[in-house]
Amino acid sequence: TIDPGLILSKAQKDAAFSEGYEYPNNQFGSWIQHWAGGVLISSSRYIQQTDDNLWNDHYALIRNISQIRTQLLKGRENDPKARTKLAIARIVEISIWQRLTDLFGDVPFSETALGVDAVNNQPKFDTQDAIYKKLIQDLDAALSQITPTDDSYGAADYYFKGNLTQWKKYGNSLKLRLGMRIRYADAALAQKTVTEAMGQPLLESNTDNAAVPTFNDATNANVHPVLNHWLAGSPDLKYLAAPLVAQLVNSKDPRLARLVQPTVNSVKAGTPAYKGIGVALTDELLKTIIKDDYSTASQTTFFNKAYSPAIACLAMSYSDVCFYKAEAALENWGATPDQAEKFYQDGVRAALAQNPYNITTVPADFQKELSFTGLSKDEKLEKIGTQKWIQLFGRSYEAFIEWRRMGYPALKAGPNLGSTNGQIPRRAIYSSRETLLNKTNYDEAVKRLANGNSYTSKVWWDKK
Amino acid sequence: RETFAQELLQQRITIKADEQSVKAVLTKIEKLTSVKFLYSPSLIKSERKVNLNAVNEPLSKVLESLLSPLQVSYEVAGKQVILKQEPLPQPVEKKASVSHEPFAIEQPITGIITDAKGEILAGVSVLVKGTNRGTSTNGEGKYSLVAQPSETLVFSFVGYIKKEIVVGNQTEINLVLNEDTQTLGEVVVTALGIKRDKRALGYSIQEINGESLAQAKEANVATSLAGKIAGVQVTRAGNGAGGSSRVVIRGANSLVGNSQPLYVIDGIPMDNSNVNSPSRWGGIDYGDGISNINPEDIESMSVLKGPNAAALYGQRGSNGVILITTKSGKSRKGVGIKYGIDYSVGDALVLPDFQDEYGQGLDGTFTHFRGNDGKIYTWAAAKAANIQGIPKMSGGRDRFTRASWGAKMEGQQYEDQWGNVLSLTPQPNTFQTFFNKERQMANNISLEGGNDNVNYRLSFGNTKIDGYTPGNTLNRNNISLRTIAKLTPKLDLDVKANYIGQRGNNRPTVSDAADNPAYLWISQPRSIPMSILENSTWTAEDVSKQLGYGTTPFIGLEKTYATNSSTANPYWTRDHTRNSDDRQRLIGLIKLSYQFNDWIRLTAKTGTDFYTDQRLRYREKGTYQSQNRNGDIIEEVTRVREDNSDVLLSLTPELSKDFSLSLNLGANHQKFYARTTGNTGTEFIAPNLYSINNTLINSYVFNLSESSINSVYAAGSVGFRDYLFVDFSARNDWSSTLSPANNSFFYPAVSGSLVVTDALNLQNSTLSFLKVRASWAQAGSSGSPYQLTGNYALDQTPHGGQPLGSFTSIIPDPNLKNELTTSLELGLEARFFKNRLGLTFAYYDASTKNQILNIPLPPSSTFTSRRINAGEIRNHGIELSLTGTPVRTETGFSWDATFNFSRNRNQVVELAEGVSTFLLGDDRNVQVIATPGKPFGTIIGNGFQWLRDDKGNRLIDPTTGLPLKTNAKLLYEIGSALPNWIGGFNNTFRYKGFSLSGLMDVSQGGKIFSQSLREELVFGTIKKTLPGRDGSYVADGVVAQKNADGTWTSTGQTNTKQVRAQDYWNVIAPDKDNVVSEEMLNDASYIMFRELTFNYQLPSKIISKTPFRNIRAGVYGRNLFYLQRKTDGYAPEASSFNVNNSSLGLESTSLPLLRYFGFSLNLEL
C-alpha cells in the first residue's frame, strides 16, 4: 500500500489543473467565449465529437481518490487516524463527481467506484437528479465526520495543509455550490441545501481559497495550466475571444492589461490595442484573420514563465462563494436580498485581488460595475454572472457550467453552424470508448436526452 | 562430397546384433547415424540373419564387417549409402585393368559428369547396359571405360535421375545429371532439435534452407520469410535500418501483445522482444531479437506451425516456433575458407503521389499580400483595395494557410513566409532530395575444419547499412564459434558462442510524431523549396519578416513552416538531434551428450542469451518539440538475460522388425531477467553539452521484469513398418508468473501419419507418394510477470516536493490461470508423376481459450481494463503447397515451381462475461476491435459518414453540389484488417551453372486505414486532388432533397453540379480530426514481385584451374514491383507501425518500403 496523502495530492492537483489546459480552454473556453479556438480545435466551431479524454480522465481521478475509501483506509470510519482523512478524500471526490455530471449529465455513479474487488464491468448511468441528491447526502456525512482532533493530511494537502477548519469551510462552500447548481431544476432541494450551507462557516477570504500552488522554475508539469497552455501548446491556439476582450475594455476593467496582451501589429504601430477574435468562425471568415491583429492572453502574467509569484491554480475561490451568496441572498435563502449587493461586491473585490491581478483598490471608473443600484433581479443576476464569468478565466469547465446554469452573460453564438445549427453547445459528448464498451447502459442514458448524445441536449439542471 | 562421405563413414557407432536380419541392422544404423541406406531388398537378401558386435567403431568398419561376408559393396552419396551386390569394378584409370573382353572394336570413352549447377559429381556409377562392366567417376567427376559403339552406357547416382546414352562413335561423353529431389528422404529439424524423416511427421513443418535466406539479403532475416512459407504472414513496417518484422503464423492467437512465434536457435530460445517499441504516438524501432542474427550463419530454419508441431515448447510454443539451426564445421583436410560479400542499394518503391501543379495557398490563389508599404494584408483585402505589392505566403497550422490549394505554379514572384522572394515553381522529388539511397554491405568469412574427433567453424560477419533516412546507420558484427568434439568415444561436446555487436545511429521516429521524417513532407506545401528548409534554424531576418507562425519564433529555434505538433523540420532532426543504440549480445550454448549404448543417449545442455542495450537520445536546444524549446536527453541501459537448461534422455530401443520406437524424456529450466535503468533530462542549461547533468530537470527511468518456468516433458514416436507413425508428447510447465495454486499446466499432443502408398502398395506412375496425417495438441501461455496484483505508481515529477501517487488502471486477478490453445490439424501430402509434382495440404482449427486478457472496460468503471482469463479466439484455415518441376531436359535445363496458398479465418468466439468488444488499437478517426461474430481486426471508423440512399449512392446537397455527411462524428464499421488469403509463387530455372529464381508474394483482401492519406487530402498535396481544381469537379452521387424534419432523401437524379476540387476534398478531410472515415480506407491487397535472384556458379572445368573450390556470383532484386496495389502512395505492407496486434490495419505516415538491388559473390577455398 501507499500513504493516502500521495493519492490525495495527485487528485487535488490533477482535478484543479485539468480545466486550464490548452484543449479545455479552446473547447469549453471558446464556447463561453474566453478563448478563440479556431479551426484547429474543431469542437470550438460546434463540430461535434466525443470528449474521450475528459470522460476518461475524470473517471481515472475518481478511481484514484476512491482508493482511499475502498482500500487504503477502508472501514476505518471510527479510527481517529483515518476518519477525517476519509472525510476529506470523500469531499474531494464529490467535487470531481459534481464536475463530471455537470459536463455530461447522467453518468455512471452508484454502480461504480466501489473498489477494486467490486468493479462493475458495465455500470448503469444514474440520472443527474439522483446523483445530486446522493452527493449532497454524502457531503453532509463527510462534513459531520471531520473531527478536529483527528489526523489530517498535512503537507500532502495542497488546499489547506491539513487545516480542518478550512476543510469545514470548503465542504460547506461545496455544499453551497451543489445546492445552487440545481436551483432551476429542483428549487426545494436547492433552497434547503443552500440555506443549510449559508448557516455554516464558508470560505471567508482569498486565504481560504482551495488552490494548488504552481511552480514556474520546474518542469512544465508543475506550472499553472494556462502557462502550460502557452509553453507546451500551439501558437495558433493562444488567442482570446472578442467578447471577453470587449467586456474588459468596455467596462474599463482594471484586469485588462494583466489578462490580455495588446496585438502585435498595434504594438508595432505604436498604439497598443486589445482585440479578440470572433469565435466559431466560418471558413470564409477564418481566411480574413491575420493573427498579429489579435490578442493572446497576457504575456506578462498568465503567459509568462518568469512571472512571480507563480499563480496558484484555483479549485474553488472565495469569490465563487461570494457570488453564490449574492444569488442566495436574492432568493432569501439563508440571507436577505439587501445583503446581495455586499456579497456581490465582496466577490468582485476578491476576484480583483487574485493573483495575477492583485488589485486591492477598485479604480474609480470601475466602481459602477460594483453597484446594484436601480437594477432588477435579473439584471443583478446578469451582473453576478458576468463578473463570475471573468473571474472564472482559466477555469474553463467551471466557467462553462456556471454560464449554462445562470444564462449570463448573454453570449451570441459564432457564425459557424457546425453540428448544432449555430447553437452554443450545452454539454460534453460521452466517450466513444464508453459507447463501444458499455453500450446497453449508454443507449439507455442517451434515450433520456432530448436530442440524444449531442451538444444541443441539456443536462437536467440546465433549465435557464 | 568426398569430405562429407569421409565424415559420414568415420562416425563411430556402437551396435550389437544377434541373429538379426540385415534389414533390421541397417535400420538400426540409420537410427544411430544420419545415414540412409538405399538398396534393393532382393538383391542383397536383406532377410538374411547376421551377427554383429561393434563398440564405438567407425561406420566404415562396421559396414565392412557387416557387408563383406554378404558380398555386398557400398558407395556413399550425400547422406545416402547405396548398397550393391557386386564389388565395384576397379577404377579404370589404371589402364591395365581395362576389361579384357575378346572384341576388337571397343573404344575408350571418357567424360565428366556434373550436376545442374555445374558441380562435379564423384562416385557416379557408369555401367555398360546388360553387362557387369562399369566404373565410377573419380574425385574430379571423371570416368573412363571401354565400350562398343552399339552398347549403351547407364549413368546412375543416388538422388539423380538415371541416364542412358548409346555410345555410337563418341569417345567423350560429358553429362549433366539432374537431381531427383523428391526421392530423397527429407530430413527436417523438429521440436527439441530432433532430426526426423519428414514422412514420419503427423503435423506440418516447413523447412527453408539458409542459402535461400542468404540470397537477396534482408538485414532482418525474418523478413525474408515473406511469401516463402504457407501460412506465415510477414510484414515489415518502414522502420529504418535493422528494424523489426512482424511474423504471424496461422493468424493472431492473442488479443493482446503480439502473436510472434518463439525463435529457438540451436535448441536455445532467444529473447525476441523489442524493448520500448513504437506506439501510435511515435517512438523508435530499435529492432527485435531476430534482427540481430546473421543470415549467413543459418544452416536451416524450420517453421513449426502452431501447437501441433511445437507442443514440446509448452506455453511458449503456442504461436508457433521458428527453429534455427546454425552452421557447424565439417571434418576435412586442411581449413575450409569461405568468403562472401553482398552489396545492395535500396530506394523507395512507393512514394506519395505528389502533385506538382499547384502551390501553397487557398481557393486557387495566394492567401496574403505584402503591400509596398510593408504591411501585410489578406489576399482578398489587398485585391479589394487594389494595393500594390507582392503575394505573401503564411505559416500556420491549418489548411487555410499552408495547404497546396493555391495558384498554379507558373513562376510568379512571391514572398515566402520568412520573407524570401521566390518564384512559384514546382518543387518535385521531396523524398528523393531529403532521403538517401540505402546502402547495405555484408561481408562474411568463415573458417571450418576438423578431423574425426573435433570439428569447428569460426565465422565473422559484418553488416553495414547506410540507411534511407539520412544519418541512419547500422553496423553489426557477428562472430560465431562452434565446435563439436568427441571427448571420449561415448561423450560428445558441442559448444557455441555467438557474439553480436550492433550499433545503430539516428534511427527514424515512426508513426504520429513530430520527428517522423515522412510526416512533414506529405503535407508540405508543394511550392516550398527544400533549400529553404535545409537552413533549419530561424535567422533574425526570418523572425522579422515571418507571417503566421505565431508569436514565439526566436533566432536559433528550429525552423518549421507550421507550429503543428507533428511537423518538425526533418533537416533539423537530421542535424540537431541524435540517437544511438549499442547492443552487445552473447548467445552461448554448451551441450554434452553421452551414448550409453546403442539405444540410450543422454544429453544435457545449457544456453544463454544475454544482451545489454544502451540507448542515448538527445535533441539540442532550439528543438521545437522539446520542453520550452530547450532540448532534452534520455539515456538508458537495458540488460536482458534468458537462460535455458535442459536434460534429455533419448531412448531408441529395438522392438521388433515391424515396430520402431523412440522416446525422449526431458526437463527444462528457463529463467528470464530484464532490467532497464536510466535517466531523462529536460532543458539543457549550457548549450552544446549533451549530458544528463547539464539539464534543468531530470528523472529516472526504471523497469524490472523477472520470471522463470520449470518444465518436464516426454515425447515419443512409434513407427510401424516405416509407413505408419504415431507421435505423442506431453509437457508440464510450472510458471512463476501465476499463483502457486494455478501455476502448473499440462500440454499434451498426439499425432499420426500413414504413408498410404507404402501401406497399400499404391505406387504407380501417376501417384508416387501419398501420406495422410492428423494431429491434436494443446499449448498455452502463462502471461507476463507481475500481473496478479495491483500496484501504486508515482508520477514522474513530484509537485512542490510532494510525490503524486496513483493506482493501477488495470484490475488485477490473483487467480489467473494459463491460457490454453487446443489445435487440431489434418493434412495430406502427395506426389505425382514420379515425384515431378508434389502437393501438401493442411487444415487446422485452433482455439485459444482462457486468454490472459486485459479486457477493456468502459471508463466509467474507473478502470481501463480488467485482467482475466477470458475469451476464445478461433483460427481455422487451410494451407496448400504445390511443388513441381514442369520442365526438365536432358541438356540440364530445369524449371522448378512452388506455389503456396493459405487462408486463415480468425474468429472471436467470445470475450468475457458481459464484454462484447475488445479494443485492439486506435488512432485518429479509427478504432480496431475484436468482437464476437466479426473477424479479428474489424476497423471502426470514428469520424463522419456519408449520407447515402438505400442503393448506396451518396446524397449530394443540391445547393452546394457537395456530398452530405453526418452532422457529427460517429462510430461505424468500415472494414476488416486481415487478408482473405496470402500466398507465394516461386519459380526457379536452372541451366548448368546458372540459376534464376523469382518469388511473387500475394496478399488478398483486408483494409488499411491511412493517416498519410488524411494529411495529403487535407493539404491537397497529391495528384488525387488535381481533377476539377478549376471548378469542374463533379461529385459522384445523387441529388438529395431536404425534408421538413431536416433529413435528406434522394431525388434519384445523378448529380451533375460542378464544384471546386478543393471544396469537395475539404468535405472529406477538413482537418486531421474530422475526416470521413471510410474515405481513408484502402484495400490492402497486393501482388508483389518480391524477389528475383540470378546466380552463376563457375563450372568445375574452370574452377579446377583456380585455387578455389567454388565460385558463385549473383545479382538480385528485392521488393521489385507490384503487379497489383491499391493503396494511395504507400506500401500495403506498411499496415502496422509496430509488431503488436494493436497497430493492425493502421498506416501512420510510414516511411516508404524500399526496393533493393544487389549483388553477391561467394568464394570457397
Side-chain angles (χ1 to χ4, degrees), chain A residues 90 94 97-98 101-102 105-111 124-139 178 182 185-186 189 448 459-461:
Chain A
R90 188 71 188 179
I94 289 166
W97 279 115
Q98 188 190 7
T101 181
D102 286 347
D106 297 355
V107 300
F109 169 71
S110 61
E111 294 189 352
K124 77 170 193 341
F125 287 57
D126 296 270
T127 64
Q128 188 172 52
D129 185 0
I131 294 168
Y132 259 88
K133 288 197 174 94
K134 185 71 168 50
L135 288 180
I136 292 165
Q137 259 179 34
D138 287 356
L139 180 59
L178 281 164
I182 58 172
D186 185 346
L189 180 60
R448 297 197 289 261
V459 306
W460 165 72
W461 55 245

Coordinates of all heavy atoms in Angstrom, one line a residue, chain A residues 90 94 97-98 101-102 105-111 124-139 178 182 185-186 189 448 459-461:
Chain A
R90 N -13.4 12.0 0.6 CA -14.7 12.0 0.1 C -15.2 13.3 -0.5 O -15.8 13.4 -1.5 CB -15.7 11.5 1.2 CG -17.1 11.2 0.8 CD -17.1 9.9 -0.1 NE -18.4 9.7 -0.7 CZ -18.7 8.7 -1.5 NH1 -17.8 7.8 -1.7 NH2 -19.9 8.6 -2.0
I94 N -16.3 14.1 -4.2 CA -17.7 14.7 -4.5 C -17.5 15.9 -5.5 O -18.3 16.0 -6.4 CB -18.4 15.1 -3.2 CG1 -18.8 13.9 -2.5 CG2 -19.6 16.1 -3.5 CD1 -19.3 14.1 -1.0
W97 N -17.0 14.4 -8.9 CA -18.3 13.9 -9.4 C -19.2 15.0 -9.9 O -19.9 14.9 -10.9 CB -19.0 13.1 -8.3 CG -18.6 11.7 -8.1 CD1 -18.0 11.2 -7.0 CD2 -18.7 10.6 -9.0 NE1 -17.7 9.9 -7.2 CE2 -18.1 9.5 -8.4 CE3 -19.2 10.5 -10.3 CZ2 -18.1 8.2 -9.0 CZ3 -19.2 9.3 -11.0 CH2 -18.6 8.2 -10.3
Q98 N -19.2 16.1 -9.1 CA -20.1 17.2 -9.5 C -19.7 17.7 -10.9 O -20.5 17.9 -11.7 CB -20.0 18.3 -8.5 CG -21.1 19.3 -8.8 CD -21.0 20.6 -8.0 OE1 -20.1 20.8 -7.2 NE2 -22.0 21.5 -8.1
T101 N -20.7 15.2 -13.7 CA -22.1 15.2 -14.1 C -22.6 16.5 -14.7 O -23.4 16.6 -15.6 CB -23.0 14.7 -12.9 OG1 -24.4 14.7 -13.4 CG2 -22.9 15.7 -11.7
D102 N -22.0 17.6 -14.2 CA -22.3 18.9 -14.7 C -21.9 19.0 -16.2 O -22.6 19.7 -17.0 CB -21.6 20.0 -14.0 CG -22.2 20.3 -12.6 OD1 -23.3 19.7 -12.3 OD2 -21.5 20.9 -11.8
G105 N -24.1 15.3 -17.8 CA -25.5 15.0 -17.4 C -25.5 13.7 -16.7 O -24.8 13.5 -15.7
D106 N -26.3 12.7 -17.2 CA -26.4 11.4 -16.5 C -25.0 10.7 -16.7 O -24.5 10.6 -17.8 CB -27.5 10.6 -17.1 CG -28.9 11.2 -16.9 OD1 -28.9 12.2 -16.2 OD2 -29.8 10.7 -17.4
V107 N -24.5 10.2 -15.6 CA -23.3 9.4 -15.7 C -23.3 8.2 -14.8 O -24.1 8.2 -13.9 CB -22.0 10.3 -15.4 CG1 -21.9 11.5 -16.3 CG2 -22.1 10.7 -13.9
P108 N -22.5 7.2 -15.1 CA -22.5 6.0 -14.2 C -21.9 6.5 -12.8 O -20.9 7.2 -12.8 CB -21.5 5.1 -14.8 CG -21.6 5.4 -16.3 CD -21.8 6.9 -16.3
F109 N -22.6 6.3 -11.8 CA -22.2 6.8 -10.5 C -22.4 5.8 -9.4 O -21.5 5.3 -8.7 CB -23.1 8.1 -10.2 CG -23.0 8.6 -8.8 CD1 -21.8 9.2 -8.4 CD2 -24.1 8.5 -7.9 CE1 -21.7 9.8 -7.1 CE2 -24.0 9.0 -6.6 CZ -22.8 9.7 -6.2
S110 N -23.7 5.3 -9.1 CA -23.9 4.5 -8.0 C -23.3 3.1 -8.2 O -23.0 2.4 -7.2 CB -25.4 4.4 -7.7 OG -26.1 3.8 -8.8
E111 N -23.1 2.7 -9.4 CA -22.6 1.3 -9.6 C -21.1 1.3 -9.9 O -20.6 0.3 -10.4 CB -23.4 0.7 -10.8 CG -24.9 0.4 -10.4 CD -25.6 -0.4 -11.5 OE1 -25.0 -0.7 -12.6 OE2 -26.8 -0.8 -11.2
K124 N -24.5 1.1 -14.8 CA -25.6 1.8 -15.5 C -25.4 3.3 -15.2 O -24.8 3.7 -14.2 CB -26.9 1.3 -15.1 CG -27.4 1.7 -13.7 CD -28.9 1.3 -13.5 CE -29.7 1.9 -12.4 NZ -29.0 2.4 -11.2
F125 N -26.0 4.1 -16.0 CA -26.0 5.6 -15.8 C -27.0 6.0 -14.8 O -28.2 5.6 -14.9 CB -26.2 6.3 -17.2 CG -25.1 6.2 -18.1 CD1 -24.6 5.0 -18.6 CD2 -24.5 7.4 -18.7 CE1 -23.6 4.9 -19.5 CE2 -23.5 7.3 -19.6 CZ -23.0 6.1 -20.0
D126 N -26.7 6.8 -13.9 CA -27.7 7.4 -12.9 C -28.1 8.7 -13.5 O -27.4 9.4 -14.2 CB -27.0 7.6 -11.6 CG -26.6 6.3 -10.9 OD1 -27.3 5.7 -10.2 OD2 -25.4 5.9 -11.2
T127 N -29.3 9.1 -13.1 CA -29.8 10.4 -13.6 C -29.1 11.4 -12.7 O -28.7 11.2 -11.6 CB -31.3 10.5 -13.4 OG1 -31.6 10.4 -12.0 CG2 -32.1 9.4 -14.1
Q128 N -28.9 12.6 -13.4 CA -28.3 13.7 -12.7 C -29.0 14.1 -11.4 O -28.4 14.3 -10.3 CB -28.1 14.9 -13.6 CG -27.3 16.0 -13.0 CD -27.0 17.0 -14.0 OE1 -27.9 17.6 -14.6 NE2 -25.7 17.4 -14.3
D129 N -30.3 14.0 -11.5 CA -31.2 14.3 -10.3 C -30.8 13.4 -9.1 O -30.5 13.9 -8.0 CB -32.6 13.9 -10.8 CG -33.7 14.3 -9.8 OD1 -33.3 14.8 -8.7 OD2 -34.8 14.1 -10.1
A130 N -30.7 12.1 -9.4 CA -30.3 11.2 -8.3 C -28.9 11.4 -7.8 O -28.6 11.3 -6.6 CB -30.5 9.7 -8.8
I131 N -28.0 11.7 -8.8 CA -26.6 11.9 -8.4 C -26.5 13.1 -7.5 O -25.8 13.0 -6.4 CB -25.8 12.1 -9.7 CG1 -25.7 10.8 -10.5 CG2 -24.3 12.5 -9.3 CD1 -25.1 11.0 -11.9
Y132 N -27.2 14.2 -7.8 CA -27.1 15.3 -6.9 C -27.6 15.1 -5.5 O -27.0 15.5 -4.5 CB -27.9 16.5 -7.6 CG -26.9 17.5 -8.2 CD1 -26.5 17.3 -9.5 CD2 -26.3 18.5 -7.5 CE1 -25.5 18.2 -10.1 CE2 -25.4 19.4 -8.1 CZ -25.0 19.2 -9.4 OH -24.1 20.0 -9.9
K133 N -28.7 14.4 -5.5 CA -29.3 14.0 -4.1 C -28.3 13.3 -3.3 O -28.1 13.6 -2.1 CB -30.6 13.2 -4.3 CG -31.7 14.1 -4.8 CD -33.1 13.4 -4.6 CE -34.2 14.3 -5.0 NZ -34.7 14.1 -6.4
K134 N -27.7 12.3 -4.0 CA -26.7 11.5 -3.2 C -25.4 12.3 -2.9 O -24.9 12.1 -1.8 CB -26.4 10.3 -4.1 CG -25.5 9.2 -3.4 CD -26.2 8.5 -2.3 CE -25.5 7.3 -1.8 NZ -24.2 7.4 -1.4
L135 N -25.0 13.1 -3.8 CA -23.8 13.9 -3.5 C -24.0 14.8 -2.3 O -23.1 14.9 -1.4 CB -23.4 14.7 -4.7 CG -22.8 14.0 -5.9 CD1 -22.5 15.0 -7.0 CD2 -21.6 13.2 -5.5
I136 N -25.2 15.4 -2.2 CA -25.5 16.3 -1.1 C -25.5 15.5 0.2 O -24.9 15.9 1.2 CB -26.8 17.0 -1.3 CG1 -26.6 18.0 -2.5 CG2 -27.3 17.8 -0.1 CD1 -27.9 18.5 -3.1
Q137 N -26.1 14.3 0.2 CA -26.2 13.4 1.3 C -24.8 13.1 1.8 O -24.4 13.1 3.0 CB -26.9 12.1 1.0 CG -28.3 12.0 1.4 CD -28.8 10.6 0.9 OE1 -28.1 9.6 0.8 NE2 -30.1 10.6 0.5
D138 N -24.0 12.6 0.8 CA -22.6 12.1 1.1 C -21.8 13.3 1.7 O -20.9 13.1 2.5 CB -22.0 11.6 -0.1 CG -22.5 10.2 -0.6 OD1 -23.4 9.7 0.2 OD2 -22.1 9.7 -1.6
L139 N -22.0 14.5 1.1 CA -21.2 15.6 1.6 C -21.6 15.9 3.1 O -20.7 16.1 3.9 CB -21.5 16.8 0.7 CG -20.7 18.1 1.1 CD1 -19.2 17.8 1.0 CD2 -21.1 19.2 0.1
L178 N -23.3 22.9 -4.7 CA -24.2 21.8 -5.1 C -25.6 22.3 -5.1 O -26.4 22.1 -6.1 CB -24.0 20.6 -4.2 CG -22.8 19.7 -4.4 CD1 -22.6 18.8 -3.2 CD2 -23.0 18.8 -5.6
I182 N -28.5 23.4 -8.7 CA -29.8 22.7 -9.1 C -31.0 23.7 -8.9 O -32.1 23.2 -8.9 CB -30.0 21.4 -8.4 CG1 -30.0 21.6 -6.8 CG2 -28.9 20.4 -8.7 CD1 -30.4 20.4 -6.0
A185 N -33.8 23.4 -11.3 CA -34.3 22.1 -11.6 C -35.0 21.5 -10.4 O -36.0 20.8 -10.6 CB -33.2 21.1 -12.0
D186 N -34.6 21.8 -9.2 CA -35.2 21.3 -8.0 C -35.1 22.4 -7.0 O -34.2 22.3 -6.1 CB -34.5 20.0 -7.6 CG -35.2 19.3 -6.4 OD1 -36.0 20.0 -5.7 OD2 -34.9 18.2 -6.1
L189 N -35.1 21.4 -3.1 CA -33.8 20.9 -2.6 C -32.7 21.9 -2.6 O -31.9 22.0 -1.7 CB -33.4 19.6 -3.4 CG -32.1 19.0 -2.9 CD1 -32.2 18.5 -1.5 CD2 -31.7 17.8 -3.9
R448 N -32.7 9.2 -22.7 CA -33.2 10.3 -21.8 C -32.8 11.7 -22.2 O -33.3 12.6 -21.6 CB -32.7 10.0 -20.4 CG -33.2 8.6 -19.8 CD -33.0 8.6 -18.3 NE -31.6 8.5 -17.8 CZ -31.0 7.4 -17.5 NH1 -31.7 6.2 -17.5 NH2 -29.8 7.4 -17.1
V459 N -28.4 19.2 -19.9 CA -28.4 18.3 -18.7 C -29.6 18.7 -17.8 O -30.2 19.8 -18.0 CB -27.1 18.4 -17.9 CG1 -25.9 18.1 -18.8 CG2 -26.9 19.8 -17.2
W460 N -29.9 17.9 -16.8 CA -31.1 18.0 -16.0 C -31.3 19.4 -15.4 O -32.3 20.1 -15.5 CB -31.1 16.9 -14.9 CG -32.1 17.1 -13.8 CD1 -33.4 17.0 -13.9 CD2 -31.7 17.5 -12.5 NE1 -34.0 17.3 -12.6 CE2 -33.0 17.6 -11.7 CE3 -30.5 17.7 -11.8 CZ2 -33.0 17.9 -10.4 CZ3 -30.6 18.0 -10.4 CH2 -31.8 18.1 -9.7
W461 N -30.2 19.9 -14.8 CA -30.3 21.2 -14.1 C -30.3 22.4 -15.0 O -30.5 23.5 -14.6 CB -29.3 21.4 -13.0 CG -27.8 21.2 -13.3 CD1 -27.0 20.3 -12.8 CD2 -27.0 22.1 -14.1 NE1 -25.7 20.4 -13.3 CE2 -25.7 21.6 -14.1 CE3 -27.2 23.2 -14.8 CZ2 -24.6 22.1 -14.7 CZ3 -26.1 23.8 -15.5 CH2 -24.9 23.3 -15.5

